[in-house]
Structures are given as structure tokens and as C-alpha cells.
Amino acid sequence: MRRALLLALAGLLSLGAAEAPEREVQVRFLMGTLWTVEAEGPGAEAALARAFAEIRRLDDLLSTYKPDSELSRINRTAATQWAPAGPETLALLARAFDYAETSGGAFDPTVGPLVEAWGFKHQDFKRPPKAALEAARKQVGYRHVTLDPKRGVRFARAGMSLDLGAIAKGYAVDRALAGLSRDGMVAARVDAGGNQGVFGRPPALDTWLFGIKHPREEDAALGVVGLSAGGISTSGDAERGFWLDGVRYGHVIDPRSGMPAQHVLSATVTAPTAEAADALSTTLCVLGIEAGLAYLEAHHRAARAIFVEPDGSTGRFRVRPQAGIDWRPARAVESYDVN
Ligand code: AMP
Ligand code: MG
């Protein structure tokens, strides 16, 4: 009897040891930002290495900071001739143009010349003189770009360029997650700063929690959003922007006016994919709360948004969570990742 009990106990213990989940977390700097990837499952370490290799591959393909990337090569040649483009780049460009079309140009992957005019590309922030702004505006407009599955990309105007900075990280998050899932991971989180994606269950919690950063204080959060699967992305003026005469100018530009978006301090979006969350958070920064919610209602009903806006002249902030999003104000929680 006693022996049977001992055997049963030993069995339980060994079962426990066999089931101890293999969990890995690694951090790398890629695409100009810090990536944290964590995964749970057999062979997690090797799966993580493959995920980082995939992110690096996409950085090499889509970066506008790397002169040898496919996108840089397209930008150098498409104004004078058809620039060949691979199917993956063309497909991502086509999806980016779809966001441009449906949002009435609030999202626009040709916004580069304006981003540069405001000094956001090389961190030499400035308010551009009127003539420079007008010149840059003429070089912006997704309608002046043609995508062709056979010939590639062609710009109708000189000085144009493509910038996937508002959607490529989300796409890379999705690709990394898909690879981790194919590799047999039961749960994973891919975090590229403002862009994240998850599947499976987090350790010791029912759902993944993401902090919404305080827009003006380092290392402070306004609260957290719960998300069980898909992507979450925050866009705003906090991560890249500058102050001039008491006004904060952020790196999300309204392509229609040429001015940095001013409606909200940040927009956070949850969506079925990290790519959608990425593109939509940028779009909603430009559109603001009313037009942004109407846009989601019309085109992206599976997405949910949270906005942070200035609260009049009080110097405080107001959080505006859309109905249906799992929003938990800061007091109610103890631990979270700051998104
Ligand atoms: P995100 O952090 O995803 O909101 O992306 C911001 C980056 O996307 C900027 O640094 C620019 O490179 C680019 N960008 C700025 N404004 C827009 C816009 N209206 N549409 C698309 N991309 C933009
Ligand atoms: Mg974005």
C-alpha cells in the first residue's frame, strides 16, 4: 500500500517534470527598435532564433534606412523607370495602399518627404518654412504611385518615396508569430515597442496585459488593455516628437495638411493582426476620435481603439476607451508590460 502510494507520488513528480513548459525570452535591437520575443513550447530557444531571423530578413527587405533594402532600391529608381519588386513587398504595399484608400489618405505610405521636412527622419526636428512644406506636399500622395504585379512600382512624380514605417513592424510581428506557431509553440508574445502580438496563454494569467503609457511621464502607465490573441499597437507623439513654443509636434503626419497630427496624444488599437493594429493606430492618430471611430465602424469592425486626449486646459489627460475593449485603469492591476 505504502509502496503503491510512493510509486504514485513518484509518477506524479515525473509527470510534473515532463510537463514543465519550456519557456524562452530574448531581446534584440532590430528595425530601429528593441524587440522582446517570448515563447512557450518544445524547442522554444531554436524557435526564437528563427523568429529573430525572420524579423531581420524583413528589416533587410523593407527598411528605408538600409540603402540595400528592396524598398530603398525602389525609392531610388521608381521615379524614372519601373522598379522591380518581389511579391511579398508588392503585397504589403498593396495592403498599405488599401488603408490609404479607405481612410481618405489619412494613412499614406508616400508621406516620407513630409516626415523628412519636419526633421523626423534624421532627428533634426524643425518647423519647415512654408515653401519647403508646399514642395514636400507635392511629392506626397499614394494616388501618384502605380503597383503592377509584373513590372513593379512606378512613381508619377520626382522626389516621391515609399515609407512602410507605420505598418512594417506590425507585419513583422505577425510573421514572427506565425513562425512560432508553425514551430509548435503553444503561446508567444512578440513585442516591438509600440507594436505587439500574442497567441496562447501568458504565464500565470488568463489573458495578456498591455500597459498604455502615460503620454508625458516616463515609465508611468494610465492602465492596461487585456488581449487574448491578435495585435495591439500604440501611435502618438510620445516616442518621437519635439516641443516648439509650447506645442508638441509628433512624427505622425496628416498627409492631407502636411502638419503633424494634433487631435490626440495617442491612439491604441487592438485588431486580429498586428499589421492591422499598426496601420490603424497610425491612421486613428491622424483622424482623431470621432472620424477614427467612424472609420473603424465602416471598415474594421473587429478592431477596437483607446485614445488619450488632452483634458482642456487642466494639463491632465483623458482616456477614451471604445466600447468592447478590455480596458483596466491603472489602479486595478499589479503587473503589466508597457506598450
Ligand atoms: P507608427 O509609429 O506606426 O504610428 O508609424 C509612424 C511612422 O510612420 C512615422 O515615423 C513615419 O515614418 C510614418 N508616418 C507618419 N505619418 C504617417 C501617415 N499619415 N501614414 C503612414 N505613415 C506615416
Ligand atoms: Mg503604425
Side-chain angles (χ1 to χ4, degrees), residues 74-112:
I74 290 169
N75 283 338
R76 273 197 304 276
T77 52
T80 50
Q81 62 195 70
W82 281 97
E88 187 176 21
T89 305
L90 271 179
L92 180 59
L93 283 172
R95 295 197 298 279
F97 279 50
D98 209 54
Y99 285 105
E101 186 72 36
T102 56
S103 69
F107 183 92
D108 193 329
T110 68
V111 75

Side-chain angles (χ1 to χ4, degrees), residues 57 81 94 123 134 188 263 270:
R57 182 186 72 80
Q81 62 195 70
Q123 319 291 320
E134 283 314 306
H263 295 299
T270 63

Side-chain angles (χ1 to χ4, degrees), residues 64-65 100 103 105-112 114-116 120-121 163-170 194-195 233-236 239-240 250-256 259 261 267 277-283 285-286:
T64 52
Y65 289 92
S103 69
F107 183 92
D108 193 329
T110 68
V111 75
L114 284 167
V115 175
E116 202 161 342
F120 289 115
K121 187 143 171 99
D163 171 358
L164 293 174
I167 187 171
K169 277 194 212 107
N195 299 102
S233 168
T234 297
S235 292
E239 84 192 75
R240 206 181 294 175
H251 68 144
V252 175
I253 311 272
D254 186 338
R256 304 163 304 183
M259 298 295 290
D278 190 358
L280 291 173
S281 66
T282 309
T283 309
C285 265
V286 175

Side-chain angles (χ1 to χ4, degrees), residues 21-26 37-41 43-46 48:
E22 194 181 328
R23 165 166 287 283
E24 272 288 315
V25 185
Q26 284 181 22
V37 179
E38 63 176 283
E40 182 184 323
E45 196 174 343
L48 247 55

Side-chain angles (χ1 to χ4, degrees), residues 7-314:
L7 275 176
L9 259 180
L12 261 181
L13 283 175
S14 67
L15 196 72
E19 283 196 342
E22 194 181 328
R23 165 166 287 283
E24 272 288 315
V25 185
Q26 284 181 22
V27 178
R28 305 263 170 85
F29 193 81
L30 287 160
M31 292 188 162
T33 197
L34 208 59
W35 289 68
T36 305
V37 179
E38 63 176 283
E40 182 184 323
E45 196 174 343
L48 247 55
R50 281 190 287 275
F52 279 117
E54 174 66 357
I55 298 163
R56 190 181 303 277
R57 182 186 72 80
L58 291 170
D59 195 11
D60 290 345
L61 189 72
L62 303 170
S63 170
T64 52
Y65 289 92
K66 296 187 168 184
D68 295 333
S69 75
E70 183 170 46
L71 203 59
S72 293
R73 195 179 40 69
I74 290 169
N75 283 338
R76 273 197 304 276
T77 52
T80 50
Q81 62 195 70
W82 281 97
E88 187 176 21
T89 305
L90 271 179
L92 180 59
L93 283 172
R95 295 197 298 279
F97 279 50
D98 209 54
Y99 285 105
E101 186 72 36
T102 56
S103 69
F107 183 92
D108 193 329
T110 68
V111 75
L114 284 167
V115 175
E116 202 161 342
W118 283 90
F120 289 115
K121 187 143 171 99
H122 303 290
Q123 319 291 320
D124 53 340
F125 311 125
K126 56 189 170 273
R127 198 192 160 96
K130 216 169 163 210
L133 205 58
E134 283 314 306
R137 283 185 70 185
K138 291 205 179 75
Q139 298 168 333
V140 171
Y142 69 98
R143 289 174 195 278
H144 309 307
V145 180
T146 313
L147 305 179
D148 184 282
K150 289 204 184 71
R151 291 176 290 181
V153 183
R154 189 79 168 91
F155 299 155
R157 298 181 174 183
M160 292 191 73
S161 62
L162 290 165
D163 171 358
L164 293 174
I167 187 171
K169 277 194 212 107
Y171 173 61
V173 168
D174 288 333
R175 292 284 312 185
L177 284 175
L180 291 165
S181 172
R182 265 198 316 276
D183 281 349
M185 299 301 106
V186 294
R189 177 176 74 103
V190 178
D191 170 356
N195 299 102
Q196 308 200 38
V198 292
F199 68 81
R201 279 174 63 142
L205 287 172
D206 287 339
T207 192
W208 300 89
L209 298 176
F210 298 94
I212 303 297
K213 258 187 198 153
H214 191 290
R216 296 289 179 256
E217 278 175 32
E218 272 299 306
D219 299 329
L222 295 169
V224 301
V225 176
L227 181 73
S228 56
I232 180 165
S233 168
T234 297
S235 292
D237 66 15
E239 84 192 75
R240 206 181 294 175
F242 66 99
W243 290 96
L244 191 68
D245 302 331
V247 179
R248 178 86 179 160
Y249 295 98
H251 68 144
V252 175
I253 311 272
D254 186 338
R256 304 163 304 183
S257 66
M259 298 295 290
Q262 298 283 1
H263 295 299
V264 293
L265 299 169
S266 74
T268 298
V269 173
T270 63
T273 65
E275 177 184 307
D278 190 358
L280 291 173
S281 66
T282 309
T283 309
L284 295 205
C285 265
V286 175
L287 290 176
I289 300 178
E290 305 304 320
L293 290 176
Y295 174 60
L296 291 190
E297 177 72 20
H299 295 280
H300 299 279
R301 301 192 71 161
R304 289 288 177 279
I306 291 192
F307 300 92
V308 179
E309 62 173 352
D311 189 3
S313 55
T314 62

